[in-house]
């Protein structure tokens, strides 16, 4: 297929020249009805914001430009089929779980998965078997489960219907997922992978291999993470003998909007085109710029360490004792440089797949941050807390048992030993520290306090945590 084609964009461009009179949705009428103070920002994109008119195809039953765009993406990513997602990678994660599992099925799941994975488990009503990640001393974080942990879980739960993994982690760290996929496939169990941060892995070396290339059955990519797609634009790829394209398509038409965004779909088409047009010479130029940026960060060795990443587009710094990640991030933001993520000890920066030009400004900001940290270091040492108390763990209650149980909001310090009725989620990265249906431990409480002290935002509606009442079998009346 000709990867130089951008069929959705071309279709919308052609339609926008027809000068038609709109007696259909959306209500902005191609930008004619719109507040003047906002029109200059939106007027070009609104011309592309269409609905399923004759000739404009339908995401849920594509046969024209959208179908062609998905085929081009499938050819580029080397999938059996690629679906366009306009509700983010979240909807892809939900759809793949619902397509692979039915209620009460056992599912083996990496514990440090995104909240959308855990939401998918609850929606499907499955029985998750969680695999705790190992602590990786090289990056001083919990990253991925060990291979022998997965093998043990497969032996203990031979009736599992799927294995769900996250690859790479938020910071670009990979692991031997190929062996894990083979272990599952040896037992005829499909492997579903949240590869939100790996859309650019399809470019090949020096980037890691995609889980799709390594044999995974279903893989979700956030196109907007590192490719030039709009926020909420993602791909879902299938390459499987164990899960059908039809089962995924059915779930997606249930979960995705019945009024899909044409600008988002076009941006997915454009992102695929951009990736396909990146030749090795351009990639090398991009990587050379990234290496220069990393060299500038390395000059601050007295303030932070550079943490290794398998993904060249990620840079993680870890503040040394005497300096806090929160303070360093604040200093960067003061100067107009916004990192992707700040944890209790580390700051993540994500580079784009394009040239960098702000050299003088970056040098000036780095100098400012280093000087400010030197003068304002607070000598707090942060202890690593392991809140993954079991290598292989099931929930204290099934999702069905949780339905209708009475709940109570209590302070975190009083929740130890109770069963959580809601997840506790530091955001970003959106990985639940406590899962719904999990017993709250002292380690959880310690980790939560540490995160709050370091300024990490906890995605909670209220202070404290909701727990299920002590009489677990008593249904709410």
């Amino acid at each position: 297929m000709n990867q130089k084609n951008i069929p959705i964009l071309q279709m919308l461009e052609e339609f926008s020249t027809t000068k038609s009179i709109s007696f259909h949705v959306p209500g902005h009428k191609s930008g004619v009805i719109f507040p003047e103070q906002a029109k200059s920002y939106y007027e070009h994109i609104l011309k592309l914001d269409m609905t399923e008119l004759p000739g404009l195809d339908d995401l849920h039953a594509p046969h024209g430009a959208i179908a062609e765009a998905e085929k081009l993406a499938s050819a580029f990513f080397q999938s059996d089929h690629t679906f366009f997602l306009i509700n983010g990678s979240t909807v892809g994660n939900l759809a793949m779980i619902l397509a692979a599992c039915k209620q009460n099925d056992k599912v083996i799941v990496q514990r440090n998965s995104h909240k959308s994975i855990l939401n998918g488990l609850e929606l499907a009503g499955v029985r998750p078997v969680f695999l705790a990640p190992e602590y990786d001393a090289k990056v001083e974080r919990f990253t991925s489960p060990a291979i022998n942990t997965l093998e043990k879980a497969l032996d203990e739960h031979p009736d599992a219907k799927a294995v769900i993994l996250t690859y790479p982690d938020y910071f670009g760290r990979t692991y031997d997922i190929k062996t894990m996929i083979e272990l599952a496939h040896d037992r005829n169990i499909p492997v579903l992978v949240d590869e939100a941060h790996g859309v650019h892995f399809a470019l090949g070396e020096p980037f890691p291999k995609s889980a799709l290339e390594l044999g995974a059955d279903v893989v979700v990519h956030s196109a907007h993470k590192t490719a030039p797609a709009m926020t909420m634009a993602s791909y879902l790829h299938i390459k499987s003998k164990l899960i059908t394209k039809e089962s995924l398509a059915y779930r997606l038409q249930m979960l995705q909007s019945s009024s899909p965004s044409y600008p988002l779909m076009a941006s997915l088409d454009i992102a695929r085109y951009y990736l396909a047009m990146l030749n090795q010479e351009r990639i090398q130029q991009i990587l050379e710029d990234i290496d220069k940026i990393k060299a500038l960060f390395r000059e601050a060795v007295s303030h932070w360490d550079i943490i290794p990443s398998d993904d060249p587009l990620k840079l993680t710094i870890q503040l040394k004792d005497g300096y806090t990640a929160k303070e360093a991030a604040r200093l960067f933001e003061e100067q107009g440089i916004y990192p992707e993520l700040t944890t209790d000890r580390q700051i993540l920066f994500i580079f784009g797949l394009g040239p960098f030009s702000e050299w003088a400004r970056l040098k000036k900001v780095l100098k400012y941050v280093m000087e400010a940290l030197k003068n304002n270091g607070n000598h707090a040492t942060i202890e690593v807390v392991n809140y993954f108390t079991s290598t292989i763990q099931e929930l204290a209650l099934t999702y069905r048992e949780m339905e209708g149980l009475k709940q109570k909001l209590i302070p975190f310090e009083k929740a130890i030993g109770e069963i959580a009725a809601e997840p506790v989620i530091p955001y970003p990265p959106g990985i639940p520290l406590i899962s719904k249906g999990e017993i709250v431990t002292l380690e959880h409480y310690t980790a939560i306090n540490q995160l709050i002290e370091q300024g990490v935002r906890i995605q909670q509606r209220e202070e404290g945590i909701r727990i299920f009442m002590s009489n677990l079998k008593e249904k709410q009346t």
Side-chain angles (χ1 to χ4, degrees), residues 145-156:
I147 291 172
N148 60 5
T149 300
L150 172 60
E151 190 167 21
K152 183 180 178 185
L154 289 167
D155 289 341
E156 292 179 356

Side-chain angles (χ1 to χ4, degrees), residues 395-470:
L395 295 177
L397 296 170
T398 67
Y399 292 118
R400 177 177 287 184
E401 288 172 332
M402 295 179 211
E403 292 177 4
L405 286 180
K406 291 181 180 179
Q407 299 179 17
K408 183 180 180 181
L409 179 67
I410 64 174
F412 277 122
E413 64 268 19
K414 294 184 178 180
I416 297 169
E418 302 286 354
I419 299 176
E422 63 180 345
V424 177
I425 307 170
Y427 205 90
I431 296 169
L433 190 150
I434 300 173
S435 298
K436 182 178 178 180
E438 186 175 12
I439 296 174
V440 181
T441 66
L442 176 61
E443 289 80 6
H444 288 139
Y445 172 66
T446 303
I448 290 166
N449 273 346
Q450 180 173 293
L451 291 171
I452 291 172
E453 287 173 6
Q454 295 304 317
V456 176
R457 183 164 62 93
I458 304 294
Q459 208 172 50
Q460 294 291 105
R461 292 190 182 93
E462 303 166 286
E463 291 294 326
I465 183 173
R466 291 196 169 274
I467 62 161
F468 290 113
M469 299 291 280
S470 56

Side-chain angles (χ1 to χ4, degrees), residues 283-463:
I283 292 172
Q284 187 56 40
Q285 290 172 349
I286 292 166
L287 294 176
E288 286 175 3
D289 278 359
I290 290 172
D291 286 341
K292 291 177 184 177
I293 295 171
K294 291 178 179 178
L296 292 176
F297 273 86
R298 286 192 184 94
E299 292 178 6
V301 292
S302 60
H303 298 76
W304 54 63
D305 293 316
I306 304 294
I307 302 299
S309 173
D310 300 307
D311 181 359
L313 297 189
K314 303 288 181 73
L315 168 66
T316 302
I317 62 173
Q318 179 164 296
L319 277 292
K320 293 187 175 181
D321 290 347
Y323 309 101
T324 68
K326 177 186 176 183
E327 175 64 11
R330 184 187 66 77
L331 293 169
F332 277 110
E333 290 162 6
E334 273 183 4
Q335 301 301 306
I337 290 182
Y338 290 86
E340 166 65 17
L341 167 67
T342 303
T343 70
D344 52 349
R345 308 194 305 159
Q346 299 181 350
I347 305 175
L348 170 66
F349 299 83
I350 300 181
F351 305 115
L353 284 167
F356 185 77
S357 60
E358 297 273 3
W359 295 106
R361 185 178 179 188
L362 178 60
K363 290 177 182 178
K364 182 179 178 180
V365 172
L366 281 169
K367 182 178 179 181
Y368 169 83
V369 172
M370 288 186 285
E371 285 297 319
L373 286 175
K374 186 176 180 180
N375 295 329
N376 297 299
N378 76 14
H379 296 272
T381 302
I382 302 167
E383 181 182 352
V384 176
V385 178
N386 181 8
Y387 56 87
F388 302 107
T389 53
S390 301
T391 306
I392 300 173
Q393 177 189 357
E394 296 184 65
L395 295 177
L397 296 170
T398 67
Y399 292 118
R400 177 177 287 184
E401 288 172 332
M402 295 179 211
E403 292 177 4
L405 286 180
K406 291 181 180 179
Q407 299 179 17
K408 183 180 180 181
L409 179 67
I410 64 174
F412 277 122
E413 64 268 19
K414 294 184 178 180
I416 297 169
E418 302 286 354
I419 299 176
E422 63 180 345
V424 177
I425 307 170
Y427 205 90
I431 296 169
L433 190 150
I434 300 173
S435 298
K436 182 178 178 180
E438 186 175 12
I439 296 174
V440 181
T441 66
L442 176 61
E443 289 80 6
H444 288 139
Y445 172 66
T446 303
I448 290 166
N449 273 346
Q450 180 173 293
L451 291 171
I452 291 172
E453 287 173 6
Q454 295 304 317
V456 176
R457 183 164 62 93
I458 304 294
Q459 208 172 50
Q460 294 291 105
R461 292 190 182 93
E462 303 166 286
E463 291 294 326

Side-chain angles (χ1 to χ4, degrees), residues 143-183:
T143 53
S144 61
I147 291 172
N148 60 5
T149 300
L150 172 60
E151 190 167 21
K152 183 180 178 185
L154 289 167
D155 289 341
E156 292 179 356
H157 302 277
D159 53 342
K161 301 302 181 184
V163 171
I164 304 174
L165 300 170
T166 301
Y167 173 95
D169 71 6
Y170 209 115
F171 299 83
R173 193 69 169 170
T174 62
Y175 56 94
D176 185 7
I177 195 172
K178 185 175 188 294
T179 297
M180 293 189 174
I181 293 168
E182 290 169 350
L183 283 172

Side-chain angles (χ1 to χ4, degrees), residues 184-197:
H185 283 176
D186 286 345
R187 295 161 171 82
N188 215 37
I189 298 173
V191 179
L192 319 177
V193 181
D194 177 359
E195 194 172 285
H197 283 265

